[in-house]
Amino acid sequence: MTRWLGVALLPSAEHTRSAVQLQTDVGEDHGLQPPLSPDGNLPHVTVFQGPFLDSLSPERELRTIADSMSLPEEIRLASTGIVYQPTGWVFLSLERPKLLTELQAAVLSVLAPHLDRAAFDTSKDTSRFTPDERASFAEYGYRYTGDAYAPHITLGRAEEDIALKLVGSAPERTSVQKEWTFDRLTFYVMGEHGAHAEKLVERSLDPA
């Protein structure tokens, strides 16, 4: 059976609340979907997500990933703005330091053998993807790997014209804090629009 799962960085409790509030502020009355919540769809930065075979063990794989590299107690990422991503996505864009590139490489190394490649959506319209995103999608079934990796917190999705309007007017209605802190790795079940719908395994970045 195919399972749609992901690995992500979770923000600190304070910044989880900040992200939930930011979605509300940016979305105005339009209600970006799905709603973020500290107790439901968690704000997160996806490292990788996709369809997996039953051979994957979230607890084992997350432990292997974390043990394969030296991680600090916290990862602090600078925000680079609220951006629109085709089609209809509203992202809080974040910087991509070398550590995140290395973390994704470690995740891909551990998880790639368990990918259910037969479940990749080959009918997906990738005409608005960049060349790097198309290459990433073809190789891993996920748009953002390698040179295409674009760390972000998804603030939600809306009709394209609404999403464009919200992103364009966001600077007039809200201010975005300059730095966001992440202190946990998680394996999660993907929900609506790839949301962090259910936490399967969680661990501190540096348990020691």
Side-chain angles (χ1 to χ4, degrees):
M1 182 180 69
T2 302
R3 294 183 294 170
W4 291 83
L5 308 174
V7 173
L9 288 167
L10 294 185
S12 66
E14 176 187 355
H15 288 175
T16 293
R17 292 189 294 269
S18 297
V20 171
Q21 185 61 50
L22 184 61
Q23 183 193 50
T24 299
D25 294 343
V26 171
E28 286 191 305
D29 299 326
H30 296 287
L32 290 168
Q33 296 298 315
L36 299 175
S37 166
D39 304 312
N41 291 322
L42 291 173
H44 65 285
V45 170
T46 296
V47 182
F48 182 74
Q49 62 183 27
F52 290 98
L53 302 166
D54 286 336
S55 60
L56 180 140
S57 165
E59 184 173 358
R60 179 188 66 210
E61 265 62 81
L62 194 64
R63 182 172 61 250
T64 300
I65 291 164
D67 290 346
S68 70
M69 60 186 302
S70 178
L71 291 169
E73 291 184 5
E74 297 179 336
I75 295 177
R76 297 178 182 178
L77 301 176
S79 62
T80 57
I82 294 171
V83 302
Y84 170 79
Q85 181 77 342
T87 51
W89 296 98
V90 179
F91 288 171
L92 170 63
S93 180
L94 300 166
E95 66 175 330
R96 187 182 72 185
K98 182 181 179 183
L99 179 61
L100 244 57
T101 301
E102 293 173 346
L103 175 59
Q104 188 184 64
V107 168
L108 289 172
S109 176
V110 172
L111 299 189
H114 304 285
L115 278 171
D116 184 355
R117 296 181 180 277
F120 289 2
D121 184 4
T122 56
S123 66
K124 188 177 184 67
D125 179 7
T126 60
S127 61
R128 297 180 69 179
F129 286 18
T130 67
D132 284 338
E133 289 170 356
R134 279 194 291 272
S136 173
F137 189 78
E139 176 67 19
Y140 293 110
Y142 180 57
R143 184 175 181 176
Y144 306 110
T145 68
D147 290 341
Y149 186 33
H152 62 273
I153 295 175
T154 300
L155 297 180
R157 199 173 191 186
E159 294 294 329
E160 186 163 12
D161 58 338
I162 293 175
L164 284 165
K165 177 184 175 183
L166 291 175
V167 170
S169 61
E172 304 166 10
R173 293 179 288 101
T174 188
S175 60
V176 179
Q177 63 192 53
K178 295 181 179 180
E179 189 175 73
W180 295 75
T181 300
F182 301 84
D183 57 10
R184 291 160 291 158
L185 267 177
T186 179
F187 228 116
Y188 65 95
V189 176
M190 293 167 59
E192 181 186 7
H193 300 312
H196 191 298
E198 179 186 348
K199 189 190 304 177
L200 296 176
V201 186
E202 176 186 310
R203 61 173 290 152
S204 301
L205 292 182
D206 181 9

